[in-house]
Amino acid sequence: MENKVVKFGGSSLASAAQFEKVGAIIRKDKSRRYVIPSAPGKRTPDDTKVTDMLYSCYGHAILAYDDEEKDEQMECFEELLMLIKARYQSIIDGLGLSISLDKEFSVIRQNFLAKIGRDYAASRGEYLNGKILAEYLGYTFIDAAEVIFFDDNGNFDAETTDRVLSERLAKVERAVIPGFYGSKADGSVKTFSRGGSDITGSIVAKAVHAEMYENWTDVSGFLITDPRVIDNPKPIDVITYRELRELSYMGATVLHEDAIFPVRKEGIPINIRNTNAPEDKGTLIVEATCQKPRFTITGIAGKKDFASITVEKAMMNAEVGFCRKVLEVFEENHVCIEHMPSGIDTMTIFVHGEEFEEKEQNVISGIHRAVSPDVLELESDLALIAVVGRGMRATRGTSGRIFSALAHANINVRMIDQGSSELNIIIGVSNHDFEGAIKAIYDIFVNTQI
Ligand code: ASP
């Protein structure tokens, strides 16, 4: 039987009205057999996600134990728990369901007060939403704690999970499996990092050899660039996993980064879709494709606030171990290196400005001691922009076009680094040129359509 795994994010399941949209989407395609819900998210921009409410509710439960303001904390705890229950109740009522969560909430209350753990607390958001969704759809509910496993160190145990999950789901035609959490061997609940329901969806898709992993959210897929920089940027129809990695590293976020690995291993495509605009095709994320990209570039992303350290020494290339000695200084000071373009007698190291600031003087003296440079120069307030696209390899003159567009816009390029895979070109500019540079690049590749 055909099968798709469908994951719905928090805003897709924030209210009864959103549940109805989700129900319609699932009923429309019989192959949508395994459903992964998030916890209810924000209904309006200033609303609070249930996961955040659970974290703070648990925080009050902990303080109610050993704080002097025990009574006050207890009061806050009870109040928040009631508010959380009310959010679920309004979904149940809005959908006209008759299930009661009284028993669930009395167990949750007891467990919170017994200080069972922060991860358990957060996981209840998905758990309860899963219960309601299963009831609403008439699907089997499977507690993620029974099928998703972590080892004693809290790392995801892919092997055990895949075995147990695939055996279990082989016997169940349609199921709801809450996202975000699983359990350790001692039975305690463990969550992934925030946004982790995306990972659960990917793990389930792998286990059932799904033909597609649909990830439903509140945007119609990835856009070529940040809509805060360009008004209404065009959507990306198809993107490869590698391109996506490059773009998400530079700050494009729609999907949890770790969600790519399980499906990628199996060659299962991910389709990002919009619950509020289900007719939109969204973005398809694939391992490889012969489909020609619509534009030479697939996407543009970037980040501000980098600093650069340029080390100059005549004949440095003749000195064995020169680069290693410089890099060791960064390692010893626990500074991550982001990029490292080099010249004949220079090497430049890009680091995150904020992280570097406090270690700056230690790094400078360390480099002096290590390699006695002729010149050591620091620059801050730099932005890096990644222009990514599988189409660039086959197109001559891409970097030329980028630079003439930037020159026309009067933007000084401080650094250029073309990845050897020809999948991306990284450009360094001043922070204050960041938006202008993205606009110029977008314009030349998308608006002029060549
Ligand atoms: N509910 C969790 C969070 O808010 C996980 C998720 O939504 O994917 O981070």
Short mmCIF file of all heavy atoms in Angstrom, two decimals, residues 35-75:
data_model
loop_
_atom_site.label_atom_id
_atom_site.label_comp_id
_atom_site.label_asym_id
_atom_site.label_seq_id
_atom_site.Cartn_x
_atom_site.Cartn_y
_atom_site.Cartn_z
N VAL A 35 0.86 9.85 10.96
CA VAL A 35 0.76 11.28 11.23
C VAL A 35 1.56 11.64 12.48
O VAL A 35 1.44 10.98 13.52
CB VAL A 35 -0.72 11.68 11.45
CG1 VAL A 35 -0.85 13.18 11.62
CG2 VAL A 35 -1.58 11.19 10.29
N ILE A 36 2.39 12.67 12.35
CA ILE A 36 3.23 13.11 13.48
C ILE A 36 2.81 14.53 13.87
O ILE A 36 3.03 15.48 13.11
CB ILE A 36 4.73 13.17 13.07
CG1 ILE A 36 5.15 11.96 12.24
CG2 ILE A 36 5.63 13.40 14.28
CD1 ILE A 36 5.01 10.63 12.92
N PRO A 37 2.18 14.70 15.02
CA PRO A 37 1.82 16.06 15.43
C PRO A 37 2.86 16.71 16.33
O PRO A 37 3.53 16.05 17.11
CB PRO A 37 0.53 15.83 16.23
CG PRO A 37 0.72 14.47 16.83
CD PRO A 37 1.62 13.67 15.92
N SER A 38 2.95 18.04 16.24
CA SER A 38 3.66 18.85 17.24
C SER A 38 2.66 19.20 18.34
O SER A 38 1.48 18.88 18.24
CB SER A 38 4.13 20.17 16.62
OG SER A 38 5.30 20.01 15.91
N ALA A 39 3.14 19.91 19.35
CA ALA A 39 2.24 20.44 20.37
C ALA A 39 1.55 21.68 19.80
O ALA A 39 2.06 22.29 18.86
CB ALA A 39 3.06 20.82 21.60
N PRO A 40 0.39 22.09 20.37
CA PRO A 40 -0.26 23.31 19.85
C PRO A 40 0.69 24.51 19.92
O PRO A 40 1.30 24.78 20.95
CB PRO A 40 -1.45 23.50 20.80
CG PRO A 40 -1.70 22.16 21.40
CD PRO A 40 -0.37 21.49 21.48
N GLY A 41 0.81 25.21 18.80
CA GLY A 41 1.70 26.37 18.75
C GLY A 41 0.91 27.66 18.96
O GLY A 41 -0.14 27.66 19.59
N LYS A 42 1.42 28.74 18.39
CA LYS A 42 0.79 30.04 18.58
C LYS A 42 -0.44 30.19 17.69
O LYS A 42 -0.38 29.86 16.51
CB LYS A 42 1.79 31.14 18.22
CG LYS A 42 2.97 31.18 19.13
CD LYS A 42 3.86 32.33 18.73
CE LYS A 42 5.07 32.37 19.66
NZ LYS A 42 5.78 33.60 19.60
N ARG A 43 -1.51 30.73 18.25
CA ARG A 43 -2.71 31.03 17.44
C ARG A 43 -2.61 32.42 16.85
O ARG A 43 -3.16 32.72 15.81
CB ARG A 43 -3.97 30.92 18.32
CG ARG A 43 -4.27 29.50 18.75
CD ARG A 43 -5.16 29.45 19.95
NE ARG A 43 -4.46 30.00 21.13
CZ ARG A 43 -4.95 29.98 22.36
NH1 ARG A 43 -6.14 29.44 22.59
NH2 ARG A 43 -4.26 30.49 23.36
N THR A 44 -1.93 33.29 17.58
CA THR A 44 -1.69 34.66 17.11
C THR A 44 -0.22 34.98 17.41
O THR A 44 0.39 34.27 18.21
CB THR A 44 -2.57 35.66 17.90
OG1 THR A 44 -2.31 35.43 19.30
CG2 THR A 44 -4.05 35.47 17.64
N PRO A 45 0.34 36.02 16.80
CA PRO A 45 1.76 36.27 17.03
C PRO A 45 2.15 36.42 18.50
O PRO A 45 3.25 36.06 18.90
CB PRO A 45 2.01 37.57 16.25
CG PRO A 45 0.94 37.60 15.20
CD PRO A 45 -0.24 36.90 15.78
N ASP A 46 1.24 36.96 19.34
CA ASP A 46 1.66 37.13 20.75
C ASP A 46 1.16 36.02 21.68
O ASP A 46 1.22 36.14 22.89
CB ASP A 46 1.28 38.53 21.28
CG ASP A 46 -0.15 38.88 20.95
OD1 ASP A 46 -0.87 37.95 20.52
OD2 ASP A 46 -0.54 40.06 21.14
N ASP A 47 0.69 34.95 21.11
CA ASP A 47 0.27 33.78 21.88
C ASP A 47 1.50 33.02 22.40
O ASP A 47 2.63 33.30 22.00
CB ASP A 47 -0.53 32.86 20.94
CG ASP A 47 -1.41 31.89 21.70
OD1 ASP A 47 -1.52 32.02 22.93
OD2 ASP A 47 -2.00 30.99 21.06
N THR A 48 1.28 32.07 23.33
CA THR A 48 2.41 31.25 23.83
C THR A 48 2.22 29.81 23.38
O THR A 48 1.12 29.27 23.44
CB THR A 48 2.45 31.29 25.38
OG1 THR A 48 2.33 32.65 25.78
CG2 THR A 48 3.74 30.71 25.91
N LYS A 49 3.33 29.19 22.96
CA LYS A 49 3.28 27.79 22.56
C LYS A 49 3.05 26.93 23.79
O LYS A 49 3.64 27.20 24.85
CB LYS A 49 4.64 27.35 21.98
CG LYS A 49 4.98 27.89 20.63
CD LYS A 49 6.35 27.32 20.26
CE LYS A 49 6.70 27.64 18.85
NZ LYS A 49 7.89 26.91 18.42
N VAL A 50 2.30 25.84 23.63
CA VAL A 50 2.06 24.96 24.78
C VAL A 50 3.39 24.41 25.33
O VAL A 50 3.56 24.29 26.55
CB VAL A 50 1.07 23.82 24.40
CG1 VAL A 50 1.10 22.70 25.41
CG2 VAL A 50 -0.34 24.39 24.27
N THR A 51 4.34 24.11 24.46
CA THR A 51 5.64 23.60 24.94
C THR A 51 6.27 24.60 25.91
O THR A 51 6.79 24.21 26.96
CB THR A 51 6.59 23.35 23.75
OG1 THR A 51 5.92 22.55 22.79
CG2 THR A 51 7.87 22.67 24.18
N ASP A 52 6.21 25.88 25.58
CA ASP A 52 6.79 26.88 26.49
C ASP A 52 6.01 26.96 27.80
O ASP A 52 6.59 27.16 28.87
CB ASP A 52 6.83 28.25 25.80
CG ASP A 52 7.84 28.26 24.66
OD1 ASP A 52 8.94 27.72 24.86
OD2 ASP A 52 7.52 28.77 23.56
N MET A 53 4.68 26.81 27.70
CA MET A 53 3.87 26.83 28.92
C MET A 53 4.26 25.64 29.81
O MET A 53 4.35 25.76 31.04
CB MET A 53 2.38 26.75 28.58
CG MET A 53 1.84 27.97 27.83
SD MET A 53 0.21 27.67 27.14
CE MET A 53 -0.84 28.11 28.53
N LEU A 54 4.50 24.50 29.19
CA LEU A 54 4.86 23.30 29.96
C LEU A 54 6.21 23.47 30.65
O LEU A 54 6.37 23.11 31.81
CB LEU A 54 4.89 22.07 29.05
CG LEU A 54 3.51 21.55 28.64
CD1 LEU A 54 3.61 20.65 27.41
CD2 LEU A 54 2.84 20.80 29.79
N TYR A 55 7.16 24.06 29.93
CA TYR A 55 8.46 24.29 30.56
C TYR A 55 8.30 25.20 31.78
O TYR A 55 8.86 24.93 32.84
CB TYR A 55 9.44 24.95 29.57
CG TYR A 55 10.13 23.99 28.61
CD1 TYR A 55 10.06 24.18 27.24
CD2 TYR A 55 10.87 22.92 29.10
CE1 TYR A 55 10.71 23.32 26.35
CE2 TYR A 55 11.53 22.05 28.22
CZ TYR A 55 11.44 22.25 26.85
OH TYR A 55 12.09 21.40 25.98
N SER A 56 7.53 26.27 31.63
CA SER A 56 7.47 27.17 32.79
C SER A 56 6.61 26.58 33.90
O SER A 56 6.91 26.76 35.08
CB SER A 56 7.10 28.60 32.42
OG SER A 56 5.89 28.63 31.81
N CYS A 57 5.58 25.83 33.54
CA CYS A 57 4.77 25.15 34.56
C CYS A 57 5.65 24.21 35.38
O CYS A 57 5.60 24.19 36.61
CB CYS A 57 3.66 24.38 33.85
SG CYS A 57 2.54 23.54 34.93
N TYR A 58 6.50 23.46 34.68
CA TYR A 58 7.39 22.52 35.39
C TYR A 58 8.38 23.29 36.27
O TYR A 58 8.69 22.87 37.38
CB TYR A 58 8.13 21.64 34.39
CG TYR A 58 8.94 20.56 35.05
CD1 TYR A 58 8.30 19.53 35.74
CD2 TYR A 58 10.33 20.58 35.01
CE1 TYR A 58 9.04 18.53 36.37
CE2 TYR A 58 11.07 19.58 35.63
CZ TYR A 58 10.43 18.56 36.31
OH TYR A 58 11.15 17.58 36.94
N GLY A 59 8.84 24.43 35.79
CA GLY A 59 9.74 25.28 36.57
C GLY A 59 9.10 25.67 37.90
O GLY A 59 9.74 25.62 38.96
N HIS A 60 7.82 26.01 37.87
CA HIS A 60 7.12 26.36 39.12
C HIS A 60 6.99 25.13 40.02
O HIS A 60 7.12 25.24 41.24
CB HIS A 60 5.74 26.93 38.82
CG HIS A 60 5.80 28.29 38.19
ND1 HIS A 60 6.36 29.38 38.83
CD2 HIS A 60 5.37 28.74 36.98
CE1 HIS A 60 6.27 30.44 38.04
NE2 HIS A 60 5.69 30.07 36.90
N ALA A 61 6.75 23.97 39.41
CA ALA A 61 6.61 22.74 40.22
C ALA A 61 7.91 22.46 40.98
O ALA A 61 7.90 22.08 42.14
CB ALA A 61 6.27 21.56 39.32
N ILE A 62 9.04 22.70 40.32
CA ILE A 62 10.34 22.45 40.96
C ILE A 62 10.54 23.43 42.12
O ILE A 62 10.93 23.06 43.22
CB ILE A 62 11.49 22.68 39.92
CG1 ILE A 62 11.40 21.67 38.80
CG2 ILE A 62 12.85 22.70 40.57
CD1 ILE A 62 11.95 20.32 39.15
N LEU A 63 10.22 24.71 41.86
CA LEU A 63 10.42 25.72 42.91
C LEU A 63 9.46 25.52 44.08
O LEU A 63 9.78 25.88 45.21
CB LEU A 63 10.26 27.13 42.32
CG LEU A 63 11.38 27.54 41.37
CD1 LEU A 63 11.05 28.87 40.71
CD2 LEU A 63 12.71 27.64 42.10
N ALA A 64 8.31 24.93 43.79
CA ALA A 64 7.34 24.72 44.87
C ALA A 64 7.91 23.76 45.90
O ALA A 64 7.40 23.64 47.00
CB ALA A 64 6.04 24.17 44.29
N TYR A 65 8.97 23.06 45.54
CA TYR A 65 9.60 22.12 46.46
C TYR A 65 10.50 22.80 47.47
O TYR A 65 10.33 22.70 48.66
CB TYR A 65 10.43 21.11 45.66
CG TYR A 65 9.83 19.75 45.71
CD1 TYR A 65 8.82 19.39 44.84
CD2 TYR A 65 10.25 18.84 46.67
CE1 TYR A 65 8.25 18.15 44.90
CE2 TYR A 65 9.69 17.59 46.74
CZ TYR A 65 8.69 17.24 45.85
OH TYR A 65 8.12 16.01 45.92
N ASP A 66 11.51 23.51 46.90
CA ASP A 66 12.53 23.96 47.85
C ASP A 66 12.68 25.48 47.95
O ASP A 66 13.65 25.98 48.44
CB ASP A 66 13.89 23.31 47.51
CG ASP A 66 14.04 23.02 46.04
OD1 ASP A 66 13.65 23.88 45.23
OD2 ASP A 66 14.49 21.93 45.71
N ASP A 67 11.70 26.18 47.47
CA ASP A 67 11.81 27.63 47.53
C ASP A 67 11.09 28.15 48.75
O ASP A 67 10.16 27.51 49.28
CB ASP A 67 11.19 28.23 46.27
CG ASP A 67 11.69 29.61 46.02
OD1 ASP A 67 12.88 29.77 45.74
OD2 ASP A 67 10.87 30.54 46.13
N GLU A 68 11.51 29.31 49.19
CA GLU A 68 10.83 29.92 50.34
C GLU A 68 9.42 30.35 49.96
O GLU A 68 8.52 30.36 50.79
CB GLU A 68 11.62 31.13 50.84
CG GLU A 68 12.89 30.72 51.54
CD GLU A 68 13.88 31.88 51.64
OE1 GLU A 68 13.52 33.01 51.27
OE2 GLU A 68 15.01 31.62 52.09
N GLU A 69 9.27 30.70 48.66
CA GLU A 69 7.93 31.14 48.24
C GLU A 69 7.09 29.96 47.77
O GLU A 69 6.46 30.02 46.73
CB GLU A 69 8.03 32.15 47.09
CG GLU A 69 9.09 33.17 47.23
CD GLU A 69 9.59 33.62 45.86
OE1 GLU A 69 8.77 34.00 45.04
OE2 GLU A 69 10.81 33.55 45.63
N LYS A 70 7.13 28.91 48.52
CA LYS A 70 6.47 27.66 48.12
C LYS A 70 5.01 27.89 47.68
O LYS A 70 4.60 27.45 46.61
CB LYS A 70 6.52 26.73 49.33
CG LYS A 70 6.04 25.33 49.09
CD LYS A 70 6.30 24.52 50.36
CE LYS A 70 5.94 23.06 50.28
NZ LYS A 70 4.92 22.58 49.46
N ASP A 71 4.25 28.61 48.50
CA ASP A 71 2.82 28.75 48.21
C ASP A 71 2.59 29.48 46.91
O ASP A 71 1.76 29.10 46.09
CB ASP A 71 2.12 29.52 49.34
CG ASP A 71 2.15 28.69 50.61
OD1 ASP A 71 2.40 27.47 50.48
OD2 ASP A 71 1.95 29.25 51.71
N GLU A 72 3.35 30.54 46.75
CA GLU A 72 3.23 31.34 45.53
C GLU A 72 3.54 30.49 44.29
O GLU A 72 2.83 30.52 43.28
CB GLU A 72 4.24 32.47 45.59
CG GLU A 72 3.70 33.81 45.15
CD GLU A 72 4.74 34.86 45.47
OE1 GLU A 72 4.77 35.35 46.62
OE2 GLU A 72 5.53 35.15 44.56
N GLN A 73 4.61 29.73 44.39
CA GLN A 73 5.03 28.88 43.27
C GLN A 73 3.97 27.83 42.97
O GLN A 73 3.66 27.54 41.82
CB GLN A 73 6.36 28.18 43.59
CG GLN A 73 7.53 29.12 43.69
CD GLN A 73 7.81 29.85 42.37
OE1 GLN A 73 7.38 29.41 41.30
NE2 GLN A 73 8.49 30.96 42.45
N MET A 74 3.42 27.28 44.03
CA MET A 74 2.39 26.24 43.88
C MET A 74 1.18 26.83 43.15
O MET A 74 0.60 26.19 42.27
CB MET A 74 2.01 25.76 45.29
CG MET A 74 1.36 24.43 45.34
SD MET A 74 2.40 23.13 44.63
CE MET A 74 1.14 21.90 44.49
N GLU A 75 0.86 28.05 43.53
CA GLU A 75 -0.29 28.72 42.92
C GLU A 75 -0.05 28.92 41.41
O GLU A 75 -0.92 28.62 40.59
CB GLU A 75 -0.47 30.08 43.58
CG GLU A 75 -1.92 30.54 43.65
CD GLU A 75 -1.99 31.80 44.47
OE1 GLU A 75 -1.81 31.73 45.72
OE2 GLU A 75 -2.19 32.86 43.87
#
